[in-house]
Amino acid sequence: MEGYRGARTAVIVGAGVAGLTAATALARGGWQVEIAEAGPPEATTGWGLCLTGPALRALDELGLADTCLAEGYGMSTVTHVDVNGEPAGEVQLPRLIGARRPAVVGIARPVLHRILRAEADRCGVVVRHGVTVAAVDQERESARVRLSDGTARRVALLVGADGIRSSARGLLGLETSLDFHGQMVWRALVPRPLWATGIHQFAGKAGTAGLVPLSGGQAYVFLTENGVERSVLPDAELAPRLRQLLETFPGRVEEIRSLVSASESVVRRPVLTALLEGAWNRGNGVVIGDAAHAPAPQMASGAALAVEDGLVLARELGRHEFVGAGLQAFVSRRAQRCRTLVETSVAIAGLEQAQRHHEAYPLADSCHRLMAEPA
């Protein structure tokens, strides 16, 4: 494989967190970047997420952390409450972008997407909606990519950033299983209670619930339903069922439950994980984000890994003369960190189902400390 310095062109599959971050970082490094996104413009999945310290640190390098903090809700603590409604400890999350800025920000997914998309546009990234990659032919110096609209590109780099059910992963000949962990996770967009100035997590006898602020006026309720099979419920049944599941929790969850009654935005998804064994790259192609390593939501760090991936990928490609060498260095640098996060999230899911919450809390805390180390 020859050097690529004269033709730094890339196609990225997927305009989510990983894809947009990678596109911006690559474009700033002199790459000509095109994103193929199967969905329509402004389409996002889910209501909100947490940008933990590692995500904010990476976004700060791109100059976007303060924008996210301004449009989201900055926090630094996780308050745990036991099955009796009594305090079970408070965790101070690592502040990775300075003592005067919060450790984590809760932010609505559409808001984060708008911030990332605006920066990608500013850097000259071209985003094409309604198309995806249909075929990939690896060549000695490049990859020939055929899009679903029938057009083709010859590029130096193909990046699969199309999520846990990645099609790009299969086109590159990289396979992994999707593992279901006996949990369904619920999310509901609600008004933020005045007392919710940090993340609150409530241990229950049959599940785990919590509240994450997203802005001064909004928050999202989450609930993890244990010991269930994968299933789909009609939309009309979601809010009533979530309210029913919250009935078993004491204390402040009663206020959360009443907020769900007014919510028209409730989603329910299976807790799935994926982790590629071995290489994430083949030839001039690589997969990043959930396409390579999708954790369970218990560590709230899937977005952090995705943002880090985009930044580190661009950095390693900038350090190496050959694409293949850059991709190998990227995977070598990221594999153990991402594996640790995924495996920790799965361990916490198991502890929750076994009602061993007192063991899950320090495990999550130690993993946050480990993730605070440089990416």
Side-chain angles (χ1 to χ4, degrees):
M1 186 181 297
E2 298 181 2
Y4 62 93
R5 296 294 183 185
R8 290 186 289 181
T9 55
V11 165
I12 296 176
V13 188
V17 174
L20 287 170
T21 304
T24 292
L26 287 167
R28 289 187 180 187
W31 287 76
Q32 180 181 337
V33 184
E34 180 179 1
I35 298 178
E37 168 54 50
E42 308 302 327
T44 56
T45 301
W47 309 125
L49 52 75
C50 285
L51 295 173
T52 54
L56 288 177
R57 178 173 56 196
L59 288 167
D60 204 33
E61 288 194 39
L62 295 174
L64 301 177
D66 285 329
T67 304
C68 292
L69 288 168
E71 299 212 34
Y73 194 94
M75 304 164 283
S76 297
T77 62
V78 179
T79 300
H80 295 293
V81 180
D82 67 19
V83 293
N84 299 312
E86 298 297 327
E90 186 175 89
V91 174
Q92 294 291 328
L93 296 169
R95 294 175 183 252
L96 302 187
I97 57 172
R100 296 188 177 182
R101 290 193 282 181
V104 60
V105 61
I107 191 166
R109 283 183 179 270
V111 172
L112 177 61
H113 184 271
R114 172 169 51 79
I115 293 170
L116 295 178
R117 175 63 189 271
E119 185 61 19
D121 289 343
R122 192 188 71 79
C123 292
V125 175
V126 174
V127 182
R128 302 194 187 283
H129 288 275
V131 296
T132 189
V133 172
V136 179
D137 294 317
Q138 296 280 2
E139 300 176 355
R140 185 167 179 265
E141 301 175 20
S142 60
R144 188 174 187 277
V145 176
R146 181 165 57 83
L147 301 182
S148 57
D149 63 0
T151 61
R153 313 282 190 273
R154 180 171 281 105
V155 295
L157 175 67
L158 173 67
V159 181
D162 49 342
I164 190 171
R165 295 178 175 84
S166 171
S167 61
R169 186 173 58 216
L171 292 174
L172 289 173
L174 304 170
E175 300 295 340
T176 189
S177 63
L178 303 187
D179 299 321
F180 174 60
H181 297 280
Q183 294 179 316
M184 299 293 291
V185 65
W186 298 71
R187 298 284 189 272
L189 190 64
V190 299
R192 182 185 69 86
L194 293 179
W195 52 263
T197 57
I199 300 170
H200 284 71
Q201 184 169 321
F202 304 89
K205 296 178 180 178
T208 303
L211 188 72
V212 178
L214 297 176
S215 67
Q218 285 189 323
Y220 74 84
V221 173
F222 67 86
L223 182 138
T224 306
E225 187 180 8
N226 290 324
V228 291
E229 296 183 357
R230 294 177 64 175
S231 61
V232 177
L233 296 178
D235 289 347
E237 296 181 15
L238 293 177
R241 176 60 178 159
L242 179 55
R243 291 196 300 271
Q244 182 182 19
L245 290 169
L246 290 169
E247 284 180 352
T248 62
F249 293 83
R252 278 182 160 163
V253 180
E254 181 58 35
E255 181 178 347
I256 295 175
R257 182 172 174 269
S258 67
L259 295 174
V260 171
S261 299
S263 177
E264 296 180 356
S265 304
V266 181
V267 295
R268 178 178 182 261
R269 300 285 187 269
V271 173
L272 300 173
T273 62
L275 182 65
L276 267 176
E277 301 289 346
W280 306 350
N281 61 300
R282 179 160 293 175
N284 288 60
V286 67
V287 292
I288 66 174
D290 280 358
H293 46 72
Q298 276 78 357
M299 280 299 301
S301 294
L305 293 184
V307 175
E308 284 185 343
D309 274 358
L311 198 63
V312 174
L313 175 64
R315 188 176 296 155
E316 290 300 328
L317 287 169
R319 290 178 59 242
H320 291 81
E321 183 178 358
F322 304 102
V323 171
L327 295 183
Q328 289 172 9
F330 163 74
V331 175
S332 177
R333 185 169 163 183
R334 297 295 293 157
Q336 186 55 53
R337 181 179 181 87
C338 297
R339 172 180 290 278
T340 297
L341 193 284
V342 172
E343 291 180 346
T344 300
S345 73
V346 171
I348 293 172
L351 291 171
E352 287 180 349
Q353 294 187 80
Q355 296 296 301
R356 292 157 59 186
H357 300 285
H358 63 287
E359 297 176 48
Y361 301 153
L363 182 59
D365 186 33
S366 66
C367 190
H368 282 300
R369 304 293 162 185
L370 183 62
M371 288 287 290
E373 296 296 321

